[in-house]
Amino acid sequence: MDGAQTISGCHLCQRSGNVKWKCVSCQLLLCNTCKSNVHPKFKLADTHLIIDIKDVGTSIEYSYKEIEYGKCSWHINQDTNLYCKDCSSLVCPKCVSETHQQHVLVDTDQIYTEKESQLSNLIELYKLKITSNTNINKIFQNKYDESKGTIIKRKEDIAKILDDHSTKMLYQLEEKCKNTDFDSELEDLNKTLDILLKCRQSRRGDLLLDTLKTIQDTEIQHDLAACFPRFVMGRPISRKIIEKFGSFKEETVLDPNEEIILKLKSSHVTSLKMIKRIVEDLGGTFYVIDESSLYRVVLKKGEKLQTKKITDIKAFDISFFKCNEILIAMQTEGKIMILKQSLNMKLFHSFSGLLPRAIHRTKDDKVIVGVREAGELLLSPGEDCKRQIIILDINGLEENVFEYDKDGQRIVSMPMKIKTNSDDDMLIIDMISKLEGRIVFLTKNGNVSWVYNADESSYSLFKPWDLVVTSRDNAIISDITNQAFHILNSKGQLIKMMRSIDIGLSLPFSLLINQEGDLLVGTSIDDSVDTYQHKSTYIFRITVKGI
């Protein structure tokens, strides 16, 4: 029962407080006696709707409530009994005869049923919206608390560094000042002066001669070497140092219960046997590599895909560099080359005895490279084979190398693809055998935060080939063996696994999120699968939502 409605007593006898019924037609509360003996005497009482008092204020009462359409606004004494679709208004018989004869008229109950359905849908949408906003508000508060705690922790860390440094400098100052000879020197000078004064007062020649033999004026010709460690203020804190404290990044907060959608938008057939990697330049032009060449691809909506070979080259991976130059991880030479817009090649970095398998340029122009010694992919624990994650600066100079975790275990075995999130942490596709791989999350400081093996989600061995990181720092990974997409959150937890064939594509290889926010998927031909879907390679454009 609606809490706002108060049950007083029977509306008919006005004596009994034991109300048991309500006549919805009369809008009267009734006791048992009046329901049985008095109400039946009402005109057309047998057509009235009477409900149990416990159902008052519920959907049961609402469903029995007679629909009212009101009086006509033009003819005050007339009831409205039809709905004019042309005018979108309720009308009475006089209205029909006067102005609505040629209009489309429907029964009021029919239009009420239609509009009630729209109303119910709208109510459900608002309920979902309120639930979603409530969830978002909770997430927003959690993110606020998290960011506030991070800022305070950052301030405390920097304050501790400054405090430790200032304590060290104060100690050094005290030590330097404590070790000076000012006091002893001053005492010696006062003693000598006292001797000289006594000698002069004595008026004795022998004492004068003896004193001057022992005390010479050369002893006071040289000043005491007094070096005071005066503190010199450093330069004012620069804007760059302040920026290194941290900054804010706009992040869209969405309901975690929002449905994840990967929907096929368009498909474009190619003449290549494999689309190994796909990248996009600042102008929206795409480049792909297969096993032996680099191609420029024009991919316009509603138009046929155009492919043009740029150069013959065997590469493990490619990434865009500055000014739309392309970084190429060479397959056989152990080098990273820069392909300039003039199509000339320039050496960026050479690795001694190592092959660059994965390459990625970060938003601050660092180049992250996954390298491994040439040879078979062996996994014996005692294998003496270098496999490293190397950070290079914009000039190709080595800044850092990560090879072992804090427990002394190798971080990667065969790094095949590297991407970074908004915090510059790394997600690495690492092949641990020819048939199986994993995802390693490596922080920018070189710590392994989590590893994803797809143990429980995959039907067959997990063989990742490519990955992308979304604006929410979630990851989409293409899985060749299972023909699937694995969607992970920033903590390495599986949000969803989706079979690629369920959305109309097979053998997903290379991935790219383009500037429009669509997911591009390049495929490969698999001669072992006898189906028409695998006779050509495609670039698919996928609409992505909720990731």
Side-chain angles (χ1 to χ4, degrees):
M1 186 186 299
D2 190 345
Q5 184 170 357
T6 303
I7 302 299
S8 54
C10 177
H11 287 166
L12 293 181
C13 67
Q14 297 185 351
R15 294 190 301 273
S16 175
N18 189 18
V19 174
K20 295 292 185 181
W21 310 95
K22 179 179 180 179
C23 176
V24 177
S25 304
C26 301
Q27 288 295 302
L28 295 176
L29 300 176
L30 307 172
C31 64
N32 278 328
T33 301
C34 290
K35 173 182 178 290
S36 302
N37 302 324
V38 182
H39 185 271
K41 297 176 182 179
F42 284 22
K43 184 179 180 180
L44 301 176
D46 57 338
T47 65
H48 289 195
L49 298 171
I50 298 176
I51 62 173
D52 194 296
I53 195 67
K54 70 176 184 296
D55 294 325
V56 173
T58 67
S59 59
I60 295 177
E61 180 184 13
Y62 169 76
S63 65
Y64 285 133
K65 189 173 182 180
E66 187 175 348
I67 302 170
E68 299 177 4
Y69 296 101
K71 297 290 185 181
C72 178
S73 58
W74 295 101
H75 308 97
I76 305 173
N77 296 323
Q78 294 288 319
D79 292 327
T80 54
N81 59 358
L82 289 171
Y83 180 80
C84 177
K85 283 195 169 184
D86 294 86
C87 302
S88 299
S89 63
L90 293 166
V91 296
C92 70
K94 282 191 175 182
C95 290
V96 174
S97 62
E98 292 175 2
T99 57
H100 299 271
Q101 289 182 356
Q102 304 302 319
H103 293 185
V104 178
L105 302 171
V106 296
D107 184 72
T108 49
D109 287 344
Q110 177 185 337
I111 196 66
Y112 183 88
T113 301
E114 292 177 7
K115 297 299 182 181
E116 185 183 37
S117 177
Q118 293 179 17
L119 178 66
S120 297
N121 291 336
L122 199 58
I123 288 171
E124 291 304 314
L125 285 173
Y126 268 82
K127 286 180 178 178
L128 289 173
K129 189 67 174 178
I130 290 170
T131 301
S132 178
N133 283 5
T134 301
N135 292 336
I136 291 172
N137 186 50
K138 290 178 181 178
I139 296 171
F140 188 88
Q141 186 61 45
N142 289 338
K143 287 184 175 292
Y144 167 81
D145 294 338
E146 181 183 347
S147 293
K148 181 179 179 181
T150 304
I151 291 172
I152 293 173
K153 179 67 167 56
R154 180 69 166 165
K155 180 195 74 172
E156 291 172 348
D157 289 344
I158 293 178
K160 186 176 185 306
I161 292 172
L162 293 174
D163 186 61
D164 290 346
H165 185 66
S166 60
T167 300
K168 179 181 177 181
M169 293 195 73
L170 287 172
Y171 173 78
Q172 291 173 343
L173 177 64
E174 290 177 4
E175 288 297 307
K176 287 180 179 294
C177 293
K178 185 170 62 177
N179 294 329
T180 58
D181 295 328
F182 280 113
D183 292 338
S184 60
E185 179 73 12
L186 185 59
E187 184 180 355
D188 290 342
L189 289 172
N190 283 323
K191 287 181 179 179
T192 303
L193 177 61
D194 188 54
I195 292 172
L196 293 172
L197 289 172
K198 287 180 179 180
C199 177
R200 187 173 66 179
Q201 291 174 357
S202 69
R203 306 287 295 176
R204 288 178 53 186
D206 57 342
L207 182 58
L208 174 62
L209 295 173
D210 290 340
T211 299
L212 292 177
K213 283 182 182 179
T214 57
I215 301 175
Q216 301 294 326
D217 60 1
T218 55
E219 295 180 11
I220 59 171
Q221 295 302 316
H222 300 289
D223 292 331
L224 179 67
C227 296
F228 183 78
R230 181 174 66 86
F231 176 72
V232 179
M233 187 85 71
R235 291 185 177 181
I237 295 177
S238 69
R239 177 62 56 183
K240 287 186 178 180
I241 293 177
I242 293 174
E243 289 173 355
K244 286 183 179 180
F245 180 90
S247 61
F248 289 107
K249 178 176 73 73
E250 292 297 326
E251 180 180 280
T252 303
V253 179
L254 297 169
D255 184 359
N257 298 320
E258 179 184 3
E259 184 181 3
I260 291 174
I261 297 174
L262 295 181
K263 184 179 179 181
L264 182 61
K265 193 173 184 179
S266 62
S267 61
H268 307 267
V269 66
T270 83
S271 58
L272 308 179
K273 187 173 182 179
M274 170 190 287
I275 301 172
K276 192 173 183 179
R277 298 292 186 217
I278 179 169
V279 295
E280 181 183 19
D281 69 13
L282 297 176
T285 301
F286 300 97
Y287 293 82
V288 301
I289 55 171
D290 60 8
E291 289 291 8
S292 59
S293 302
L294 172 71
Y295 301 85
R296 181 185 292 115
V297 176
V298 178
L299 185 66
K300 292 185 178 179
K301 187 176 180 180
E303 296 183 12
K304 186 177 180 181
L305 179 142
Q306 300 175 9
T307 304
K308 180 181 179 181
K309 183 189 286 189
I310 302 300
T311 184
D312 288 325
I313 194 165
K314 291 187 176 181
F316 282 123
D317 200 1
I318 56 175
S319 179
F320 266 103
F321 199 41
K322 54 186 179 180
C323 302
N324 284 344
E325 298 171 340
I326 302 176
L327 287 171
I328 302 175
M330 304 298 289
Q331 201 170 99
T332 56
E333 303 173 21
K335 296 177 181 178
I336 296 177
M337 304 297 293
I338 299 176
L339 179 65
K340 305 181 79 63
Q341 290 183 308
S342 62
L343 299 185
N344 293 326
M345 300 284 281
K346 177 184 175 183
L347 178 66
F348 179 72
H349 189 91
S350 179
F351 299 91
S352 178
L354 300 172
L355 292 178
R357 306 297 301 247
I359 185 170
H360 172 67
R361 173 199 163 209
T362 69
K363 59 181 181 291
D364 58 350
D365 288 328
K366 304 295 182 186
V367 177
I368 307 176
V369 188
V371 300
R372 193 182 192 276
E373 286 184 358
E376 291 295 319
L377 181 57
L378 302 175
L379 295 177
S380 57
E383 179 190 4
D384 186 18
C385 173
K386 283 186 179 180
R387 49 260 196 176
Q388 302 170 331
I389 304 299
I390 300 176
I391 315 296
L392 305 175
D393 67 12
I394 196 170
N395 298 310
L397 299 177
E398 189 176 292
E399 285 192 351
N400 214 337
V401 177
F402 302 121
E403 187 169 6
Y404 299 94
D405 63 17
K406 60 183 179 180
D407 298 320
Q409 301 298 314
R410 291 189 184 276
I411 294 171
V412 291
S413 181
M414 178 77 83
M416 298 293 291
K417 191 65 182 177
I418 299 172
K419 290 287 185 180
T420 52
N421 62 14
S422 60
D423 291 327
D424 292 326
D425 297 322
M426 293 163 271
L427 287 89
I428 305 166
I429 291 181
D430 182 36
M431 295 305 296
I432 57 177
S433 75
K434 291 182 178 180
L435 300 176
E436 188 176 7
R438 59 182 187 163
I439 309 299
V440 177
F441 186 95
L442 188 67
T443 68
K444 58 191 169 206
N445 298 319
N447 299 317
V448 176
S449 182
W450 51 260
V451 175
Y452 175 74
N453 295 293
D455 294 332
E456 299 178 358
S457 58
S458 297
Y459 305 100
S460 303
L461 291 177
F462 176 48
K463 189 176 181 180
W465 181 261
D466 206 349
L467 68 85
V468 290
V469 178
T470 70
S471 60
R472 303 187 203 180
D473 278 346
N474 295 324
I476 305 174
I477 301 143
S478 60
D479 177 0
I480 300 173
T481 306
N482 293 283
Q483 296 199 60
F485 299 106
H486 299 248
I487 302 169
L488 310 182
N489 64 17
S490 59
K491 300 184 187 304
Q493 298 163 332
L494 181 66
I495 302 174
K496 189 171 186 177
M497 178 180 173
M498 184 177 295
R499 299 295 300 275
S500 64
I501 54 177
D502 292 339
I503 60 174
L505 64 96
S506 300
L507 291 176
F509 261 52
S510 52
L511 303 179
L512 170 73
I513 293 181
N514 68 3
Q515 296 175 22
E516 297 175 5
D518 290 334
L519 176 67
L520 300 187
V521 182
T523 67
S524 173
I525 294 175
D526 188 348
D527 296 328
S528 65
V529 181
D530 186 19
T531 171
Y532 73 93
Q533 288 180 304
H534 297 78
K535 298 305 180 183
S536 301
T537 58
Y538 289 82
I539 295 178
F540 292 95
R541 190 189 296 268
I542 309 293
T543 299
V544 179
K545 291 184 179 180
I547 304 177

